[in-house]
Amino acid sequence: MKYLILLAYYITSIIIVLIPTPWWYYSVGGIFQIYDSPFQISLYFLGEKLLIVEILNILLNALRIYVAVNLVYGIIISIKGKLYKYSTMFWLPIFYIIDPIIIYFVVDFLVGKALGIPLNYPLVIIGKENLITQYQGATIVMLIKSYPTFVFWLSLMPVILYIIFLLVEKKKT
C-alpha cells in the first residue's frame, strides 16, 4: 500500500470524530461548566444546561459530518493508492492546545473589564487552581478546573501520524 501512514491517519481520525464525548472540561467554581469538543458543546450555568447551545450543536454536528465524509473519502482514495491530503484532524487538536489561552483572554479581559473586577486569571490552567479576587471589600475565591479529557489525548494520534506522513513524503522527494 502506497500511503499506509496516511491511511492510518484517516482511520484514527474517523474513530475520534465519531466519539461523542468532550475533549476539554472547564469549571468556574462549579457555577459555570463547559464540556467541549470541535463537534459538540455543553454549557451549564448553576447546574442548568443552557438551551442556546443546542443551536450551536447543530452547526458543530454538521462540521462532524463534513469532516467524517472527507475522512471516509480519504480512506477510499488511500486504499486505491492515490494521494489525498485532508489535514483538518491535524489542526483541530492543535487549536485545542491554545484553548486555555483563549479562555484566559475571555475571562481576564472581557469578563474582568465588563464587571470592573481585577480577576488576575492565570494564563494557562490545566488542572485545578484557585482564582482569588477582591470585590467591594470581600474576597472571592473560585476553584477553576480546566483539563483535557482522554479523547483529547487520543486526538493527538492523528497529529503524530500526519507529521510522520509529511516527513516520509518529504524524504521521498
Side-chain angles (χ1 to χ4, degrees):
M1 180 150 306
K2 192 172 180 181
Y3 298 108
L4 189 58
I5 297 170
L6 188 60
L7 179 61
Y9 159 78
Y10 287 131
I11 291 171
T12 56
S13 293
I14 194 77
I15 291 168
I16 290 163
V17 166
L18 296 176
I19 297 174
T21 57
W23 288 18
W24 210 277
Y25 170 76
Y26 304 97
S27 173
V28 180
I31 296 168
F32 191 67
Q33 296 177 312
I34 304 170
Y35 300 86
D36 75 335
S37 81
F39 310 112
Q40 73 183 51
I41 188 166
S42 294
L43 300 174
Y44 295 89
F45 182 69
L46 297 173
E48 296 291 323
K49 188 173 185 177
L50 300 178
L51 295 178
I52 189 100
V53 171
E54 297 308 320
I55 296 168
L56 182 57
N57 278 333
I58 291 169
L59 298 172
L60 292 175
N61 276 312
L63 174 64
R64 180 191 312 263
I65 293 166
Y66 173 77
V67 171
V69 166
N70 277 284
L71 293 171
V72 169
Y73 180 74
I75 290 169
I76 293 167
I77 294 299
S78 295
I79 289 171
K80 290 182 177 183
K82 297 178 184 173
L83 179 62
Y84 173 71
K85 291 183 185 178
Y86 182 72
S87 62
T88 298
M89 287 306 291
F90 168 79
W91 289 107
L92 286 177
I94 302 296
F95 289 139
Y96 263 74
I97 291 171
I98 64 170
D99 215 25
I101 297 168
I102 294 168
I103 296 293
Y104 165 78
F105 284 110
V106 169
V107 171
D108 198 51
F109 288 111
L110 297 179
V111 175
K113 301 285 187 229
L115 297 176
I117 303 171
L119 291 177
N120 301 318
Y121 189 84
L123 180 60
V124 175
I125 296 176
I126 296 180
K128 299 176 185 178
E129 192 163 325
N130 281 325
L131 175 63
I132 302 170
T133 190
Q134 300 288 325
Y135 182 69
Q136 294 182 351
T139 300
I140 301 169
V141 179
M142 289 182 282
L143 179 63
I144 308 293
K145 295 179 185 177
S146 172
Y147 56 85
T149 66
F150 180 70
V151 178
F152 171 76
W153 296 115
L154 280 178
S155 75
L156 295 176
M157 285 178 56
V159 172
I160 294 165
L161 287 168
Y162 200 74
I163 290 170
I164 293 169
F165 163 74
L166 292 174
L167 293 172
V168 167
E169 288 301 304
K170 185 175 183 173
K171 191 175 178 181
K172 287 180 183 177
T173 57

